[in-house]
Amino acid sequence: MSNLSDVLRDTIHRYPRGIKILADLLGKSPQYLYRAYLDGDSGRSFDVRLLVPLMKTTDDLSVLHYMASLFDLVLVQWPQSQPSESDLLKVSNRVQKNWARFFNALLIYKDTPSLKNRSTLQKHITSLVTTLSGLHLRLKHTNQEVLPL
């Protein structure tokens, strides 16, 4: 299993617009983000107050999923209000991305079975189940026809 530093590093490096832009959006220097996930003397403590802005800016809840997994919990996105069509499209898009990530991780694990690849595959399975559950709840909430999971 990864540790929080690994999850934080992955979240920062997966941001498609780059670390410099992410740092600007968070009001920090790129060096701060580079050092934030390093262990030991060269590392620096990541300010917990930046976690929510980081997750919102990157649209990546991996840190939250990691923390939930420490307590054997799975996150499910629950609609707070009647979702709009654009909300449903965003969730549908997230489901498609998660399916693609899952199949990619599955192919990598099939080609090169290792503990790291297995951990990555498990992470993508959890993410996919979470997203599908959220979509199921959103559709149910809009009174649209939903097939049981």
Side-chain angles (χ1 to χ4, degrees), residues 99-113:
W99 271 112
R101 290 178 185 144
F102 161 73
F103 281 119
N104 185 42
L106 182 62
L107 290 173
I108 290 170
Y109 180 71
K110 182 180 176 266
D111 289 342
T112 316

Side-chain angles (χ1 to χ4, degrees), residues 44-55:
R44 121 183 283 316
S45 297
F46 189 79
D47 187 352
V48 72
R49 293 173 292 191
L50 287 176
L51 282 178
V52 171
L54 175 69
M55 289 186 283

Side-chain angles (χ1 to χ4, degrees), residues 38-105:
L38 295 177
D39 293 327
D41 294 335
S42 59
R44 121 183 283 316
S45 297
F46 189 79
D47 187 352
V48 72
R49 293 173 292 191
L50 287 176
L51 282 178
V52 171
L54 175 69
M55 289 186 283
K56 282 186 174 186
T57 302
T58 60
D59 194 29
D60 185 343
L61 299 177
S62 298
V63 174
L64 193 57
H65 286 281
Y66 171 77
M67 288 190 264
S69 72
L70 293 176
F71 298 97
D72 292 328
L73 300 172
V74 174
L75 300 176
V76 175
Q77 294 178 337
W78 184 265
Q80 294 183 3
S81 61
Q82 185 73 16
S84 66
E85 275 190 40
S86 66
D87 289 338
L88 292 173
L89 289 175
K90 286 178 187 176
V91 173
S92 297
N93 189 29
R94 196 172 293 136
V95 168
Q96 290 175 349
K97 285 181 181 179
N98 282 329
W99 271 112
R101 290 178 185 144
F102 161 73
F103 281 119
N104 185 42

Side-chain angles (χ1 to χ4, degrees), residues 1 4 96:
M1 175 181 274
L4 187 56
Q96 290 175 349

